[in-house]
Each structure stands twice: as structure tokens, then as C-alpha cells.
Amino acid sequence: MSVTAAPAPAPAPAAPADSATGWGHYASLDGLRTVAVYLVLVFHCGVGAFAGGFVGVDLFFVLSGFLVSSILLRELRTTGTIRLGRFYSRRVRRLLPAAVVVVVATCATSVLVLSSVRRLPLVGDAQSALLYVANWRFISQSNDYFAGDVVGQSPFLHFWSLAIEEQFYVVFPLVLLLLARLDRSWRRATLVGVAVLFVASLTAQLVWAAIDANQAYYGTGARLYQLLAGVLAALLFRSRFRPRGRGIGLVAAVSLACLLLVASGLVDVTPSWRGILATAASVSLILGLMGADQGLVARVLARPTPAYLGRISYGTYLWHWPVIILFGELMDLDPLAMVAVAGVLATALAALSYAVLEMPIRRSRVLQPLAWPTAVAGVALSVLVALTVVPGLLHSDRRPALPAAGSAVTGSEANRDGPVPSVDWERYVEDRGTDDTTCTLRNADNCVIVDGDGPHVMLVGDSHARMIAPALAKLAREHGFKLSVSLQESCPWQLGVYNAFEDRATQQRCTDIRDETFNDVIPNTDVDLVILSQIPRDTEAWRTKLLSTDPKPGETLEQRLVRTIDDTLTRVHDAGARALVIDSMLTVPRDSAAPLDCLAGATELAQCRVPVPIESPPSDAFYRAAAATMPGVHTVNINPIMCPAAPVCDPMDGDIPVWKDRKHYTPRALDLHRDEIWKALLDSGAFEGFDLG
């Protein structure tokens, strides 16, 4: 599950009660924020008993919708309008100062703790956090194969929920004003309008959950139903039908118990349904507290300590995730120890921020009358910091100062020693080889990257093929063959399987691209040779994730691989082309440091040597068996070229890093050895008889 974070807290209602509604300041709601904040904190620390603790964010969404709409509805009732400048100014003064400080402090700390390779992708994360579009950034990154391991390590990931709240705060007052005007001709316009929006968002949640879990989790439209549920609760509370009576206190107790049950690991449901259940429990809990403010649950939550912790919960949320991420770089703590460290440190920083920054700005008599100027100045400050301070800090190439230096991996005389040379790390972080290219019969010419006069070669595969594509393009120009590509990261090249780690939309896109390539493009564009490259999908983790589009009863992963590899290579042969399968490229074990990250923080090359397994992946045996038994099928292994000192590989070749990350060689390292790769391609026999320049 992706990281969660607290939405921005709504301002507490004014202390004097509204005699018409019974509305005033309910300390129990402050205490409810405490429940939410520490549910998420223990979840982020990895405490198994709270495997669903991310529902704390759902509680915050509902609570924020309830409080903000209650204040706006009261203003509408008493004044007939909403002073937008005043509302936006309060939001800016409440949210921006603390957020800017946390972002800048996190960037500065990252310079001390993280290598430049880890810091560079964080520039966009920090900027999107300050501009409140973080949820859309992480939606795009979550489907990025190269960024997949990095997204969850971003200390700014928790800003996704703040982005959704801010987007809600910008638009909702305008929607409420429009509905209030319609109320004059149709009394129930506000209730019906909010209800329609709620149903639309809930529908979007259910639809996206079946198609793209990332959209369902991070998407604004798919999460607004929780804020709107809070709005509906506020409308109900303000009506004559609001919950009352002795039993309402019991409702609050049962609702809190249900919420904690949903937050535990005992309820086995999808994240989407967990959020829906948490939303229902949150609405019931809030109305229960409001209707029985002297009940047991309300009295406990309203006690000074939980109420105070709730008032500073915004700061606790802002600080807790960077603390967990950055402190985790320094020490390997078990979940409960991390709860203690993160809980104490985040709470202390939040209390300090609340006392010396947030409250003075919120209570400033100078800023209060300057509504629109304050709102505009706050946004301008956030933009200025995003464009200047953030890249200024994170683009620094200084090595981290705090982590202990890695220990040297024992090598042999074949391994290189010496200091880490100066490297343009940003170049390697951003180099992804060739872009994804969808090759169809209708746009077959767009798939041609080198239009030579010799044989027509097509490269097909996932991100591994993308990394070697630039080297093959240069070889095509040097040796006169035509090169086309059909590339899609995270997509296996063989027909009849799909990657269940990806969402359904990606699975379908992979299937469509692969079917088009093998069924239409290759047979109809005079392809002479198909080069195939992909990450091996044959470990235990793939046993339930590399699935068949046409399941066979009792079929094992190994049988599925053999069947689909053979079927695909047969399809290539039947189309009149040869097939050359590149053996699985070496990958770095997960318990070893990522080489590029290690190099950016190390001083000696020996600290970043890479131990690699001696045994080949099972997939390579399947490729070779196919080559031994099927006509026109060949294999090639380029790993001895890239790692001549195996089983301990050097992290750099001259002044060029060998690995981009744990799963990929760098395109520049592959290009550096393209002459040796060309010789291996020729030695495979795949090019025999072709007219080459």
C-alpha cells in the first residue's frame, strides 16, 4: 500500500455556540484528530497490528469536510455570502508557513543524509508538494517502472493528501455559493447538489479501483467522496433531523470500535473498500460525538492531552514521514522502536512549530485585515521557494555527511580499486534509454529509429530493451541495417501472460501492444530478425503475479514460461523472421546497495562493488532450450561483457557507471561496449547470411 498522510486540518470553529445549530468548539473533535494522526504514524512505521492504519487519512478527510463546511454554512446563514478572500487567507495562514518550513528543512536534511542520486528525483516531489499537486505527480510516477522503488522512499509523498484538500478548499466555497443561490428557488439544492457530487465521486472510486489502484488512491475525483461525506454530515447536523438522544453516545463508541477494527489487519478487504468502510464509520463517529458531547468517548477525546495533540496534528503529519524516511537511512529500527522515535520527534517538532510559527501567524492582527494580499503573498512565497530554494538545495552534488561509509566488498585482482571519479549524476538518473514506443501496423514507420538498407531488425521488450536500444541504434547506423522498436516498460514480451503487479489498464495496454506486434507488425513489415530482451520473471515473487491470459489447470510458473516462450518464438518463425533472445541481464541483489546511489555517496570504488549470483535465472535455460530445438532461434549473453570480473562486478567502467539501478545497466555503459556486443550478436549466428555494411 502506498504511503498515506493527513489532509490539512480544518480550522477549529469559534468557541461561542451558534444558538440555532448548537455549533461551537468541540474539543472531542480535536481528540479525534489525535486518533487519526497516530493511526497513520504506526502504520507508516510498519506495525503489523495496524496494517490498515492508513484509514486515518480517511477520517481526516471526513472530519475536514465536516468542519470546513460547517463554518462556511454558518457564514452563509448569518451573512448571506462567503467572503472568499477571508477564507483563502485563513487557509494560507494555517497551512503554508508550516508546510514551507517542513519542505525546506527536509531538503536541507536530505543533503546531509541522501546521495545526490537519491536527491535529484526529489526536486519534482518537493515542488509538487509546495504547489499542492503532489497527488497527480505520484499518480504519474507510480506507473513508472524506473521510479517504482523511489516513490515510496520520497519524504514528500505524504503531501498527496494535502494536495487533495487544498484543491477541495479552492473549489468547494465556489460550489457552495452557487448551490446557495439555487437554494433560493429550490430549497434543497445544496443537499441534492452535494449528494450528487458525493455519488459521482464514490462511483469514480469504485470504477478506478477496478482499473487503476493508483488513480483510486491518489486521484482527487476518486477521494472527494470522503470530504463530501463530511459535508453531508454537516448538513444533517444543522438540520432538524440531527442525531440526538441517549443512544447516540453508544453510536460514537461503536463507531470508534469499528474504525479501529478497519484500521487493524483483521479486516481483509481491498484498500478501496477499507476506505469506504472507514468513511461510514467516521461519519457515524463524528455525528455521535456531536450529539453526545458528554458521552464517555467524547469526554475521553476532549481531555487536555488528546485535545492538544489533535490541535498540533497538522504539524505531526507534516513531520512524521520525513522523520521516518530520513531517520531510517541512519539506523535500522524495528517497527515499535521507530514508532517511539518518530512519534516523539514528530510530535515535538509539531509542538514547536505550533507555538512559534503557526499560531503567531494565524493570530497576527496585521495579516487578518489583509485577506487577498495575504493569500496571494502566501502562494507567491510557496512558488518562489519551489522554484529557487528547492532545486538550489537538492541539486547540490555534495556527498552525504551522516551515513556511515559502506564497507568494501571483497573482490579479486580483476576488480578495479581507487577513488570514485567525478560524475554527472543527474545525467545517469535521467537517462532511461529510448522512450516507450508502441508499434502498430498503422504507424509502422514511426517505429523505425534507423532506416538502413540492410536487413530489418526489430527490438521488442520491456525496460531492459529500452536501455540497450541506443547502442543498437548506433550499431544499425554503423552496419547498415534497419532498426525498429516495440518497447513498453513492465510488459513481458511473450504472448499469453500478463504482469499482475501492474493495474488492469497497464495489463490491457501490454496485451494489446504485444498482440499487435506479433500478430500484425512482424508478419506484415518484412522483419528479418526479432531481438527480444526483458527482465527475468521467474522468481518466487512472480509465481502468483505472472499470470496466463488463458489459464491451464495446475500449470506451474515454470511450465507457463516454457509454454509462452515457445509459443511466441514459434509465432516469430511462422512470420518468416528469426529470433535472437538476449539472456537475462545481471541485476543487483536487494540486500546490496544500489550501485549508482552508493557511488554518489562513496569515496572509494571498492565500497560499491556489486556481488552477483553465479547461477543464471531459470528463464535463460528456457531460452537456450528453445534455441536448441527450434529453427531460427538464437540466444546471446552480454553479461560477461558488462561484468568481466563476475561474481563481483565493478560499479564503474572507466568514468561511466555500469548500473542505473538494481535492475538496469546504464545506456552509456552498454554503448561503451557496443563493439563487443556486436561481435557477440554476430557470434550467435542470428545475423548469418544477412548483407551487412
Side-chain angles (χ1 to χ4, degrees), residues 17 19 64 66 85 89 102 109 147 173 177 199 238 261 274 317 393 406 438 446 611 641 644 652 659-660 667 684 693:
S19 60
S64 292
F66 179 81
S89 174
V102 168
T109 306
L177 274 174
V199 171
R238 293 181 64 86
L261 179 63
R274 197 182 294 271
Y317 267 107
L393 287 170
T438 302
N446 295 336
I641 298 171
M652 297 195 72
W659 274 275
K660 174 182 172 63
S684 72

Side-chain angles (χ1 to χ4, degrees), residues 1-24:
M1 169 50 57
S2 304
V3 65
T4 62
D18 183 327
S19 60
T21 64
W23 178 257

Side-chain angles (χ1 to χ4, degrees), residues 549-614:
T549 57
D550 181 21
K552 308 297 181 185
E555 186 177 57
T556 65
L557 173 63
E558 292 75 16
Q559 291 170 334
R560 187 175 307 124
L561 285 167
V562 170
R563 175 174 62 83
T564 56
I565 288 170
D566 289 353
D567 287 351
T568 307
L569 295 176
T570 298
R571 188 73 58 87
V572 172
H573 177 267
D574 292 346
R578 302 176 188 175
L580 173 59
V581 184
I582 299 178
D583 281 357
S584 306
M585 298 185 193
L586 290 175
T587 57
V588 180
R590 293 196 64 85
D591 58 355
S592 298
L596 199 65
D597 181 19
C598 179
L599 287 167
T603 56
E604 296 294 324
L605 292 173
Q607 294 174 245
C608 302
R609 287 178 185 152
V610 180
V612 295
I614 298 176

Side-chain angles (χ1 to χ4, degrees), residues 1 58 61 136 139 160 164 201-226 270-273 275 503:
M1 169 50 57
D58 306 317
F61 276 150
W136 298 112
I139 284 174
W160 73 267
I164 290 178
S201 178
L202 181 58
T203 302
Q205 169 63 218
L206 295 173
V207 170
W208 278 118
I211 299 173
D212 186 343
N214 293 311
Q215 275 283 356
Y217 198 78
Y218 294 122
T220 304
R223 296 304 291 263
L224 279 180
Y225 81 92
Q226 296 175 319
T270 64
S272 179
W273 276 105
D503 58 75

Side-chain angles (χ1 to χ4, degrees), residues 218-237:
Y218 294 122
T220 304
R223 296 304 291 263
L224 279 180
Y225 81 92
Q226 296 175 319
L227 289 144
L228 293 169
V231 177
L232 290 172
L235 290 168
L236 177 62
F237 180 72

Side-chain angles (χ1 to χ4, degrees), residues 325-349:
I325 289 294
L326 298 177
F327 202 90
E329 292 289 325
L330 304 178
M331 298 183 67
D332 184 15
L333 298 178
D334 63 57
L336 291 180
M338 183 60 82
V339 167
V341 170
V344 170
L345 188 53
T347 303
L349 290 169

